[in-house]
Amino acid sequence: MIWGYPFSWVNRRGSAAIGSTGVSVGTSGVVFSFRNHAFLNANYRGTVFVNLRQAIPTGTTTTLPILFETNGVTQAVTKFGGAALTVADVAGTGVYQLWFERDTNTLQLMTGIV
């Protein structure tokens, strides 16, 4: 708690927005790739708007988890309650709103979107 406020400040420099550069399907998940160094030195906590520009290939197993990758590091994406976001949860290409917290390594789809 800072200055006696019961909340903490987030999105100090606005909300981040990023677009995927590719998608690949493997046996352990569907990986959306992003430009390297997209969040270099960012101690980010807040909303992130992610434009999934590539469609998940037709026929992909719907139970596969969605993963994001940049700089050779893969990040799981979750839903409310910590369950993995899966192919079945992705409605298609477009902008999705997520919450990211670097301290806890949480990347979660905001509820009510899908």
Side-chain angles (χ1 to χ4, degrees), residues 5-6 15 67 75 80 82 86-87 97:
Y5 291 110
S15 294
L67 308 167
Q75 170 73 46
F80 183 77
T86 66
V87 171
Q97 184 179 17

Side-chain angles (χ1 to χ4, degrees), residues 37-101:
H37 308 297
F39 293 104
L40 183 64
N41 296 323
N43 189 12
Y44 195 75
R45 178 182 188 202
T47 54
V48 179
F49 294 93
V50 177
N51 187 355
L52 298 181
R53 295 176 176 155
Q54 299 77 24
I56 297 171
T58 303
T60 301
T61 304
T62 60
T63 57
L64 285 174
I66 301 296
L67 308 167
F68 288 178
E69 182 275 326
T70 186
N71 300 327
V73 176
T74 303
Q75 170 73 46
V77 185
T78 62
K79 300 183 289 188
F80 183 77
L85 184 72
T86 66
V87 171
D89 301 312
V90 177
T93 60
V95 178
Y96 292 80
Q97 184 179 17
L98 296 106
W99 173 264
F100 179 67
E101 188 157 344

Side-chain angles (χ1 to χ4, degrees), residues 66 109 113:
I66 301 296
L109 182 69
I113 304 299

